[in-house]
Amino acid sequence: MKFEVPKSKVIIQILKGPLYRDSSPTGWQDLLKYENELSDYFGHIGLSLFIHREFGFAFLKQEFPSDELPEDQILPRLIQQRELSFELSVLLAVLRKKLAEHDSASGEPRLVLDEKEILQAMKVFLRDTNNEVKQKKEVDALIEKVIDIGVLRRMSHDSRKLEVLRVLAALFDASRLSELDTRLLEYENHAKQSV
């Protein structure tokens, strides 16, 4: 692959995390321009380039190696997997469910939630407490982690409003959504029993 500054910038951007059309229009255009070359380039190191044109995001995926492959055929992990806490997993599942509900009920392309809505949705899964300030701080900390992961983004005009980014739909596709529904019900029952 021939060295070109715009192409190299896109490679660096996408290696750092998801690339969004609205936050990096130039990077997005370059990604589409060099799509075939980038796919080949990343394919050489065992990564696949996932581009969702309709919603305007792209990211790299590394498939889990088959257990049937000999040890010398397995590539080391390049894309980090994060160990998610129970509460963080629940928050991601709740956000994915809200995104699916939004898509089926609304024609709006973006889902924007208020911090209070997220707190309300999470209360079902958290231990009952008299200390609501502490509970809010815990949920705020979870929200910040989800922002760091790249699934939520604060709105520039109101930092208490958060956009659920479409990359979440790619991370939890439709087949995993029913599994998430079952898990959320289990978590909700578990939270009620631990009171």
Side-chain angles (χ1 to χ4, degrees):
M1 183 164 70
K2 188 176 142 194
F3 174 78
E4 295 175 50
V5 171
K7 192 187 313 175
S8 297
K9 283 183 177 180
V10 171
I11 289 171
I12 291 166
Q13 275 185 297
I14 200 115
L15 280 169
K16 287 178 157 185
L19 179 91
Y20 295 97
R21 175 178 52 214
D22 58 347
S23 60
S24 180
T26 303
W28 182 257
Q29 288 304 315
D30 290 336
L31 174 79
L32 297 179
K33 178 180 176 182
Y34 300 112
E35 178 181 352
N36 292 333
E37 290 175 70
L38 295 174
S39 291
D40 289 344
Y41 175 79
F42 289 121
H44 289 293
I45 56 173
L47 301 176
S48 56
L49 180 61
F50 179 89
I51 300 173
H52 198 298
R53 283 175 172 73
E54 182 183 355
F55 293 123
F57 66 85
F59 62 93
L60 295 172
K61 292 192 329 186
Q62 185 172 13
E63 301 300 327
F64 289 106
S66 168
D67 292 338
E68 299 162 8
L69 285 175
E71 187 71 29
D72 63 342
Q73 296 283 315
I74 298 174
L75 294 172
R77 288 213 64 77
L78 180 62
I79 305 293
Q80 283 186 348
Q81 284 189 294
R82 299 174 193 232
E83 189 69 34
L84 302 177
S85 69
F86 168 78
E87 291 83 4
L88 192 55
S89 299
V90 169
L91 178 54
L92 288 169
V94 164
L95 292 173
R96 179 58 181 103
K97 186 172 181 183
K98 287 207 168 284
L99 187 61
E101 290 167 354
H102 171 80
D103 288 347
S104 66
S106 170
E108 284 292 313
R110 296 167 67 178
L111 170 60
V112 177
L113 299 171
D114 190 275
E115 285 178 346
K116 289 178 184 176
E117 290 176 87
I118 296 172
L119 177 62
Q120 272 313 115
M122 284 297 291
K123 275 190 175 188
V124 177
F125 305 101
L126 301 173
R127 285 183 225 106
D128 276 344
T129 180
N130 293 334
N131 192 343
E132 289 194 16
V133 173
K134 181 181 176 194
Q135 192 175 57
K136 185 185 179 321
K137 282 184 182 179
E138 289 171 0
V139 172
D140 287 346
L142 290 172
I143 288 171
E144 290 305 317
K145 286 179 184 174
V146 176
I147 289 170
D148 290 343
I149 292 171
V151 171
L152 279 177
R153 174 175 44 211
R154 290 197 183 278
M155 302 300 286
S156 56
H157 65 281
D158 184 351
S159 64
R160 291 168 303 192
K161 294 201 178 286
L162 299 131
E163 179 184 359
V164 180
L165 299 174
R166 289 273 164 199
V167 71
L168 182 60
L171 298 174
F172 293 103
D173 61 13
S175 64
R176 292 196 55 203
L177 196 52
S178 63
E179 178 188 328
L180 285 174
D181 283 341
T182 305
R183 286 249 172 104
L184 283 176
L185 193 57
E186 289 172 8
Y187 293 156
E188 189 174 345
N189 291 335
H190 176 72
K192 287 176 184 172
Q193 292 171 0
S194 63
V195 175

